[in-house]
Amino acid sequence: MSRLWNFIRGDAGSGPSRIALCARGLMLTAALAGCAGPTAYSDGKLLLSEGKVEESMAKFQEALQSDPRDAQYRSAYLQTRERAVTTSIERADKLLAAGSLDEARGLYRHAASIDPGNERALDGLAAVDVRRRQIGWLDEADTLFAKHQFDLAGQKVARVLTEAPNDARAVALKRAIDERTGFAPPEARLSQIYKKPITIEFKDVALKQIFEVISHTSGLNFLFDKDVKTDQHTSIFLKNSDIESTVNYVLLTNQLQQQILDGNTVLIYPNTPAKQKDYQELDVRTFYLANAEAKTVANTLKTIVKPKDMAVDEKLNMIVVRDTPDAIKMAEKLVAVEDVADPEVMLEVEVLEVQRTWLQDLGVQWPASASFQPGSAAGVTSGSSSSSSGSSSTSTSSISLFDLEHQTSRKLGVTIGAATVNANLQDSNAKLLTNPRIRVRNHEKAKILIGERVPNITSTATSTGFLSQSVNYLDVGLTLNVEPTIYLDDNVGIKVSLEVSSIISQVTTQSGTSAYEIGTRTASTSLRLKDGETDVLAGLIDSQERTSGNKLPGLGDLPVLGRLFGASTDDDQNTEIVLAITPHLVRNVQRPDAGNALFNSGTETSLRAGGGGGSQAPVSSSSGSNSSSNNSAIPATAPTTPSGVAANSGSYGVNAGDTGLQQTALTGTDASSGTGEVAAGGVPAAGIAQLQWQGNPVAAVGSTFTLSLVMQSTQAISSLPMTIGFDPTKLEVVNIAEGPFLRSGGSGTNFTTRIANGQLTLSDVASSGAGATAEGVFATVSFRAVAAATSTSIQLLSAAPTGIGNVAISLAPPAPFSLQITP
């Protein structure tokens, strides 16, 4: 380094030129840059090990700038940048799902600043804007729902569900709107005036005059096609009906159809194919399917809805339908029923193989034989002969008769085998445990193989002498095949096939190839178990007992001393296989909502999703609905004269002499005062109340969800105690808040709560004798999901609403709120 510095500094006396000084400066810069790259790279690795991803990325970038051609620097920088971007995007995705839009936008922007061309970051920013717009729509829908403007609220919710079909808030709000409107299509609900109660009687009058009376009462405008015969006579008698039903019945009985032009104008035209092509508007709806196959859903739509135009894109799993709004509405319900996640089950399998070996070898193994060899006196062998040619020779051993006769212990040779004392006892126990867990979809096969694949070579000889060999693999070990069938009652049917195999011996053929002798045990069965129930399949037992002995005849058979004159071997081998299988439901068959599972589809020639409008008047009218023109409304229960004309002076009557009509009467109600109905004598009549659950039907373990209790009553309620039951092993109450229902009367309230043994007791009492009739939230309860459950319910155990003056109010108990808690 000193030489480098001396070279750059140069000798003062030599007077270096400016060019030389510049060159030396460039060399110094290059040398320092060469040292900066490794240093920055080392610092980056140290920071990365400490978890400081972005700081290490900056160091790697610095090293890469010092030497752009270094592959190691470039790889480290790209990998670290990808890790930093991915971490930011994943955190932003979680915040977006949780509703923290500002924090999510900041992280998406940070990821885009690191990698400006990252598609996930740009898509995330767009998703934040979309979600913000959807939340705005939902907020507007909540406001409209509170004002009883269900049509406009449904339109806002429909926009959200088109972009986000699984949005929990939108789904819950749509369910609440459907329950309030009776699942009627938006096209049949022009305004609150369209639901105004009416009693009407017409007999053999002109069609135009009927619509004039309806228009004068409801404030609706009716236009007629030039081909409509307005002078055609018809008859209709309806009591306690509404404007919508009246219009629908008149159209139906006269082969007419309506086209809604705006919120107050309806066009009437003949119900003929030619006119339908001219007036009937068609909508286009695109369905992106998440679970079902597009082909299957398309077949359902072709069979039930019979849409005018339909296209199927199997690549995107998408269906495009073009038809009338009612047909589109029906298609949405059918798609919602069919496009559900497949049921799944987690099978917990435990396979236990128990092996026990007992071997006993005890006793004295004496020689089984002895050989004697007599010897000669000289101890030599004599006698030999050979052929002259030397090609063969023979030699024999012989002993003289004299020597054989005079054998002594010195001459006689004896050969005896060795005696062995055996004292061996072996006792071994072996357990082989396998505990696999496998998740399987409904009606799908799954296979578990725990073992090895043994090659088995097969040789094939052709007629020409050519020898070919092929290799096949044999599965040796434990093989388990299962196929579940999930039922609605949380039962799981399982087809089980178990095979346990092992190599007994290896066989070598004459050609040199190897083959294996395989021992196997199999069991196949079909069973049906409850969720969480364990079934044990046992009895696959292999038992072998072998006994062998080597004894002296006679002496070896003595009861106890026989062990001294012989040896015996006892070999016992026992093997048993036990299979335990336990199904755990991850997701069961999802039952569709009532509005999607059962709805009126109209007639064969005229589809109408949700029905053609019932004759039942709503429980309470909106405070924003007013009678049109100068017609004053009267209660729908007002007494009428025998001729059918309303006796109340505030009713709108049509004299037969004015229009040529015979007996007509139109009546209506206005519940905006909120005082409820009053019977004769000024005594409050008994009222009817309704309770609805509003909340997300799916929650995860550890998460918190809120359940709203929405009340509605035809009579003013001054006090409302109720008891709600839930499963404390699955749910835990974390917060209870009073709703604005009783406070809407303008007075103070006394709200108390109590929790004990899975029961939540709520009580709210309005002071100063005030009460509430408008719809509102009575209370909100926040639960925490404690344990996973396929289905757990929250139900109303008791409730005793009381009106002003201690008037009894009947409350029909709502269906239990069903909740699914996912792991």
Side-chain angles (χ1 to χ4, degrees):
M1 197 69 183
S2 61
R3 292 182 180 180
L4 176 62
W5 174 248
N6 292 331
F7 172 76
I8 296 172
R9 183 171 55 87
D11 188 3
S14 61
S17 64
R18 293 183 178 180
I19 297 176
L21 291 175
C22 292
R24 291 170 180 172
L26 292 174
M27 295 177 62
L28 175 62
T29 303
L32 293 177
C35 297
T39 303
Y41 179 74
S42 300
D43 294 342
K45 292 178 61 178
L46 180 60
L47 291 171
L48 185 62
S49 63
E50 296 175 355
K52 301 177 181 179
V53 180
E54 296 191 11
E55 291 85 347
S56 65
M57 181 187 67
K59 287 295 182 181
F60 290 144
Q61 186 177 14
E62 180 182 344
L64 182 61
Q65 290 176 353
S66 65
D67 188 1
R69 294 177 298 177
D70 192 295
Q72 188 178 15
Y73 297 165
R74 184 172 183 83
S75 175
Y77 168 70
L78 293 177
Q79 292 181 10
T80 311
R81 186 184 68 174
E82 181 66 22
R83 181 176 174 181
V85 171
T86 303
T87 302
S88 298
I89 292 177
E90 289 178 352
R91 290 176 54 196
D93 291 341
K94 293 179 180 179
L95 291 172
L96 178 61
S100 302
L101 303 185
D102 294 334
E103 293 84 349
R105 178 186 291 275
L107 287 175
Y108 283 130
R109 285 180 174 176
H110 179 66
S113 65
I114 297 175
D115 186 6
N118 190 276
E119 292 292 337
R120 291 181 61 190
L122 299 178
D123 292 342
L125 290 173
V128 170
D129 296 335
V130 171
R131 185 55 185 165
R132 192 181 302 277
R133 183 176 69 251
Q134 293 172 357
I135 292 177
W137 288 340
L138 291 175
D139 292 340
E140 295 176 5
D142 287 335
T143 304
L144 294 171
F145 183 83
K147 296 179 179 179
H148 291 196
Q149 299 179 12
F150 304 121
D151 295 337
L152 298 177
Q155 294 175 11
K156 300 291 184 182
V157 173
R159 292 182 181 179
V160 178
L161 291 177
T162 301
E163 297 181 356
N166 297 324
D167 187 274
R169 182 181 172 188
V171 171
L173 186 55
K174 180 180 181 298
R175 185 181 294 111
I177 294 174
D178 290 342
E179 290 175 356
R180 291 300 308 275
T181 58
F183 303 96
E187 294 77 8
R189 303 188 305 270
L190 293 178
S191 63
Q192 292 300 318
I193 301 175
Y194 213 54
K195 284 295 186 181
K196 185 177 180 179
I198 181 175
T199 296
I200 184 170
E201 297 182 8
F202 291 99
K203 183 178 181 181
D204 195 23
V205 297
L207 186 65
K208 184 177 181 180
Q209 294 173 344
I210 296 178
F211 280 105
E212 286 178 354
V213 173
I214 298 175
S215 175
H216 187 71
T217 304
S218 63
L220 296 176
N221 302 316
F222 292 97
L223 303 179
F224 297 89
D225 182 82
K226 62 182 181 64
D227 294 332
V228 175
K229 299 178 180 179
T230 56
D231 56 349
Q232 179 180 347
H233 284 234
T234 186
S235 300
I236 184 170
F237 299 89
L238 293 176
K239 291 184 178 181
N240 297 329
S241 184
D242 52 39
I243 301 296
E244 179 184 0
S245 300
T246 303
V247 172
N248 288 333
Y249 295 150
V250 171
L251 297 177
L252 182 64
T253 56
N254 292 274
Q255 288 78 44
L256 300 175
Q257 189 58 270
Q258 64 178 344
Q259 170 66 30
I260 299 171
L261 301 181
D262 54 42
N264 292 308
T265 306
V266 179
L267 172 67
I268 308 299
Y269 62 91
N271 189 9
T272 61
K275 292 297 182 179
Q276 287 182 356
K277 290 182 179 180
D278 294 335
Y279 290 113
Q280 199 173 51
E281 294 185 356
L282 302 180
D283 292 345
V284 176
R285 179 72 160 88
T286 303
F287 298 98
Y288 286 92
L289 306 179
N291 302 286
E293 294 184 359
K295 270 188 175 181
T296 305
V297 178
N299 291 332
T300 302
L301 297 180
K302 288 179 182 178
T303 305
I304 305 298
V305 182
K306 301 178 179 64
K308 291 180 172 56
D309 300 297
M310 182 171 61
V312 179
D313 190 335
E314 296 184 12
K315 183 178 180 180
L316 297 178
N317 204 32
M318 176 187 70
I319 300 176
V320 181
V321 179
R322 180 176 180 266
D323 210 318
T324 62
D326 285 317
I328 295 295
K329 192 69 175 180
M330 285 185 57
E332 290 177 351
K333 294 177 180 293
L334 294 176
V335 170
V337 170
E338 197 160 0
D339 188 24
V340 294
D342 291 338
E344 290 186 74
V345 62
M346 178 74 74
L347 296 178
E348 184 176 356
V349 183
E350 184 176 2
V351 181
L352 181 65
E353 183 177 0
V354 181
Q355 295 181 351
R356 187 175 187 273
T357 303
W358 188 81
L359 175 64
Q360 177 179 278
D361 190 1
L362 182 64
V364 179
Q365 184 174 353
W366 295 96
S369 61
S371 59
F372 297 89
Q373 180 67 34
S376 60
V380 297
T381 302
S382 61
S384 62
S385 63
S386 60
S387 62
S388 58
S389 62
S391 60
S392 64
S393 64
T394 60
S395 62
T396 60
S397 298
S398 61
I399 186 172
S400 63
L401 293 175
F402 177 81
D403 292 336
L404 183 61
E405 183 180 358
H406 295 83
Q407 288 292 320
T408 63
S409 58
R410 294 178 179 273
K411 298 180 181 180
L412 185 63
V414 181
T415 303
I416 303 176
T420 305
V421 178
N422 297 322
N424 183 23
L425 179 63
Q426 296 180 3
D427 192 357
S428 63
N429 290 314
K431 295 182 180 180
L432 177 62
L433 177 64
T434 14
N435 188 16
R437 293 165 57 91
I438 186 169
R439 183 168 173 171
V440 196
R441 291 198 307 175
N442 193 23
H443 298 295
E444 296 288 343
K445 295 181 180 180
K447 180 179 180 181
I448 300 174
L449 173 62
I450 302 175
E452 57 185 0
R453 306 194 70 187
V454 179
N456 186 27
I457 302 176
T458 303
S459 300
T460 304
T462 63
S463 59
T464 58
F466 179 75
L467 185 65
S468 62
Q469 292 183 339
S470 60
V471 180
N472 299 320
Y473 289 90
L474 304 177
D475 295 333
V476 178
L478 185 146
T479 304
L480 179 66
N481 294 278
V482 293
E483 182 179 355
T485 301
I486 302 174
Y487 300 95
L488 283 173
D489 57 353
D490 291 343
N491 282 347
V492 182
I494 310 174
K495 293 181 180 179
V496 183
S497 176
L498 174 66
E499 179 180 356
V500 180
S501 57
S502 60
I503 300 176
I504 297 179
S505 62
Q506 182 176 357
V507 180
T508 304
T509 62
Q510 295 180 353
S511 61
T513 58
S514 298
Y516 298 94
E517 183 181 357
I518 306 296
T520 180
R521 279 161 289 174
T522 61
S524 299
T525 184
S526 297
L527 46 90
R528 181 165 177 168
L529 302 176
K530 192 75 175 175
D531 180 23
E533 181 183 359
T534 301
D535 187 75
V536 178
L537 303 177
L540 296 177
I541 301 175
D542 181 13
S543 180
Q544 299 180 7
E545 296 183 3
R546 295 184 179 89
T547 301
S548 60
N550 188 356
K551 308 175 183 179
L552 292 178
L555 297 177
D557 295 330
L558 296 177
V560 177
L561 298 178
R563 295 288 184 177
L564 299 178
F565 302 98
S568 62
T569 302
D570 297 326
D571 187 2
D572 295 342
Q573 295 182 2
N574 294 311
T575 303
E576 180 179 4
I577 296 177
V578 179
L579 169 67
I581 185 168
T582 306
H584 298 283
L585 281 177
V586 178
R587 180 174 49 249
N588 202 342
V589 181
Q590 300 179 15
R591 293 182 180 268
D593 293 339
N596 296 331
L598 177 62
F599 58 91
N600 194 322
S601 63
T603 64
E604 183 71 20
T605 58
S606 178
L607 295 179
R608 183 176 295 276
S615 60
Q616 181 182 1
V619 176
S620 64
S621 301
S622 172
S623 58
S625 60
N626 301 316
S627 299
S628 62
S629 303
N630 58 354
N631 305 327
S632 60
I634 65 171
T637 57
T640 59
T641 63
S643 61
V645 182
N648 192 297
S649 60
S651 64
Y652 170 76
V654 182
N655 295 326
D658 295 336
T659 60
L661 309 181
Q662 299 182 3
Q663 303 179 356
T664 64
L666 303 177
T667 63
T669 62
D670 188 355
S672 60
S673 61
T675 58
E677 297 181 356
V678 178
V683 180
I688 300 175
Q690 293 182 349
L691 174 66
Q692 299 177 358
W693 311 100
Q694 288 187 6
N696 190 355
V698 180
V701 174
S703 65
T704 302
F705 73 97
T706 301
L707 183 64
S708 299
L709 283 67
V710 181
M711 286 294 302
Q712 179 186 4
S713 176
T714 60
Q715 181 64 278
I717 296 178
S718 60
S719 66
L720 178 56
M722 67 172 58
T723 303
I724 300 173
F726 62 93
D727 188 353
T729 62
K730 303 294 189 300
L731 298 173
E732 176 186 4
V733 178
V734 296
N735 186 38
I736 307 171
E738 179 188 8
F741 176 67
L742 281 187
R743 294 200 304 267
S744 62
S747 64
T749 58
N750 182 18
F751 184 71
T752 60
T753 62
R754 184 170 62 88
I755 306 173
N757 301 325
Q759 292 187 359
L760 172 61
T761 302
L762 307 175
S763 178
D764 202 1
V765 180
S767 60
S768 304
T773 55
E775 179 181 355
V777 177
F778 170 68
T780 57
V781 184
S782 297
F783 293 92
R784 177 182 290 110
V786 178
T790 304
S791 178
T792 184
S793 61
I794 302 171
Q795 55 185 344
L796 181 67
L797 301 180
S798 63
T802 304
I804 300 175
N806 294 326
V807 175
I809 297 178
S810 62
L811 174 65
F817 181 80
S818 180
L819 176 70
Q820 178 183 2
I821 304 177
T822 59

